[in-house]
Structures are given as C-alpha cells and as structure tokens.
Amino acid sequence: MDIAVCDDSMEALNDVRNVLIETNRVNLIECFNDIDRFMRDVEDGSRYDIVMMDIDWKEKKNGIDYAAWLYDKAPDTRLIFFTGYSQEYIEDVFMQRTNIEGYLKKPVKKDRVIKIIDKIENSKINMNLQKLVIKQRGQIQTVAYESIIYIEGSNHNVYIYTDKKDIMVYDSLQQILKQLPDDFYQCHRSFIINFNHVKRIEKEYVVMDNGEHVSVSRLKRKELSDLFFKYMGEKM
C-alpha cells in the first residue's frame, strides 16, 4: 500500500506516520503539510492507494473540498478522513463526492487504521469478483459493479451507463435489479443508481459523478435519502 497523509500540522503528520509504520502494512508513506504541494504532486501523476486527509485546514476550503477534487483526479484512490472534531463534519462528508473508506478521530489509533486498510484490501479483491452478467448480441458479457454509474430502463431495452462506456441490452430493469447488490437502489420506475457514484441528492433528482441528473420519484425521495445516509454510514 502507498499512502499519502495530508495535514497542516507537522505534529499530526508525524503521529500518523508513526502509526502507519507500526502497522507493517505500508510500502510508501508521503506526508504533506502543504495542500498545494499535494495537489501539484497529484497533477504531476503521482498516485496513491490511500490518502489520509485531515478535515480541518487553515484555509478557506477544508479537507472535504480537497477530497472532492482528488476524486475527480484519481477516482480509484481510497480516502480516509481524520479530525479532532468527531461529529462536526459528519453530514458535510456526504455532501461532496469522495471515495471515502473511513472516518477517524484524532489521535489516530493503530487498530482502527489496520481495520480500514484490511477493508480496503478486501474490497479491491471483491470488486474484481463482483460483476453483472448480461447477454448482448447473443454473447455473454460481464460488467464490474463498481464501474456502473446508473441504469435506465426504456421499453424492452436496458441502458447501462458505466465510467468507461454505455451498454444497451434487451432485458427488463427488474431482471437486472435482481442481480445487483445493496450498493444499488431503484429511485424511479425507469432508473437504478449506484450509491458509490452519487455526488449529490436534490429534491427531484440525483446528481451522479459523471454529471448526469437521474430522476427520483416523489414516493422514493425520503427512502432514498435515508438509505443513502445509512449506506454511507456503514461504509465509514
């Protein structure tokens, strides 16, 4: 695992670095107390398996804003937030699209870090195994669940929108729904969304991280909001 740690406090950086070293699970640790330097590092092509980001910065923006920026640049990078104020930012964490895997209170504890690293390693293994099986033009194909942003049903066709390409299959939305894990939710009779690609929930639609607006039926609005926050809370 290659990990970057971002905090404007050198004392906090040293504390987290020492904890990571003690886990014996990390190959590379890069520490940044200057967020601009970290952003330049990513812009120049550096990639990390995990970024540990402090939420509190002596800047106009906070770590949640920087994490949203990171998701646009490196969507495969997993994120761990840490803060000295455990409850203050809970709701804000969900308002930006980030690839969050954990939320830790300072001082960071070794056992909690190990649990999150284990979860990230296991999820990467599982992601390669979890795929939607579809039949297209007489051939059986698979689509990784993690790549699916949302799915649309129209007449007897189903359109699967992924982060790489769009796929059309002759099937019903309900048959596709039966194959999908709990990461997915049917928010409208014509749409299924992947919670992992939700950027923002509005009253009548959901904004996905590819910029698309997906309609939400009136009867599903409260349930969608409740299930999404529950899902993200369980991830954390």
Side-chain angles (χ1 to χ4, degrees):
M1 284 279 183
D2 293 345
I3 297 181
V5 185
C6 303
D7 193 313
D8 55 9
S9 165
M10 287 302 302
E11 180 180 357
L13 284 177
N14 289 331
D15 288 344
V16 175
R17 176 195 283 272
N18 290 336
V19 168
L20 289 173
I21 291 172
E22 289 177 9
T23 67
N24 293 317
R25 310 292 287 278
V26 183
N27 299 321
L28 173 71
I29 305 170
E30 292 286 354
C31 293
F32 299 88
N33 71 331
D34 181 339
I35 196 65
D36 291 331
R37 187 167 68 85
F38 168 71
M39 294 169 77
R40 287 194 300 270
D41 184 62
V42 173
E43 290 278 13
D44 290 341
S46 294
R47 292 294 179 265
Y48 301 95
D49 297 301
I50 300 171
V51 169
M52 298 183 67
M53 176 73 69
D54 182 32
I55 294 180
D56 309 287
W57 289 79
K58 299 180 181 69
E59 311 278 347
K60 290 182 180 180
K61 295 182 179 181
N62 61 31
I64 300 170
D65 299 313
Y66 299 132
W69 173 89
L70 175 65
Y71 183 82
D72 288 336
K73 299 295 181 181
D76 291 333
T77 298
R78 306 302 184 187
L79 180 75
I80 301 173
F81 282 124
F82 58 96
T83 177
Y85 307 95
S86 59
Q87 300 298 320
E88 183 175 342
Y89 296 100
I90 286 291
E91 290 190 4
D92 292 340
V93 163
F94 299 117
M95 294 301 105
Q96 296 274 18
R97 177 60 185 143
T98 63
N99 212 351
I100 184 171
E101 291 287 350
Y103 185 96
L104 302 174
K105 183 180 179 181
K106 293 179 179 178
V108 172
K109 304 296 185 182
K110 182 176 74 172
D111 61 332
R112 291 288 298 138
V113 173
I114 289 175
K115 285 181 180 179
I116 296 175
I117 291 176
D118 284 344
K119 183 177 74 169
I120 292 171
E121 289 179 336
N122 290 333
S123 70
K124 286 189 173 185
I125 294 172
N126 291 334
M127 279 177 189
N128 293 327
L129 301 175
Q130 296 177 349
K131 296 180 180 181
L132 173 68
V133 180
I134 59 174
K135 188 173 183 179
Q136 187 182 39
R137 296 174 182 174
Q139 296 182 336
I140 301 298
Q141 297 188 30
T142 60
V143 184
Y145 288 141
E146 65 168 333
S147 71
I148 300 172
I149 300 173
Y150 72 98
I151 303 171
E152 178 182 6
S154 178
N155 296 323
H156 297 293
N157 294 326
V158 172
Y159 299 88
I160 302 170
Y161 301 96
T162 79
D163 55 11
K164 297 179 178 62
K165 63 180 180 179
D166 301 336
I167 303 167
M168 190 274 285
V169 296
Y170 184 79
D171 208 334
S172 73
L173 202 62
Q174 291 308 308
Q175 288 300 317
I176 295 292
L177 183 61
K178 290 178 182 179
Q179 292 192 57
L180 300 174
D182 293 340
D183 307 56
F184 291 83
Y185 176 74
Q186 186 171 8
C187 60
H188 186 278
R189 65 182 181 181
S190 300
F191 296 105
I192 298 170
I193 58 173
N194 184 345
F195 280 153
N196 293 299
H197 287 281
V198 171
K199 182 175 183 180
R200 188 173 70 254
I201 297 177
E202 299 290 349
K203 184 177 180 181
E204 298 181 355
Y205 57 85
V206 178
V207 182
M208 308 307 290
D209 57 16
N210 66 345
E212 294 288 335
H213 290 54
V214 177
S215 297
V216 178
S217 66
R218 181 174 57 83
L219 296 177
K220 296 270 192 169
R221 290 171 190 168
K222 185 179 186 305
E223 183 179 65
L224 166 63
S225 180
D226 291 345
L227 288 176
F228 177 69
F229 277 89
K230 179 182 178 182
Y231 173 78
M232 295 304 293
E234 289 173 352
K235 279 193 68 175
M236 291 169 58

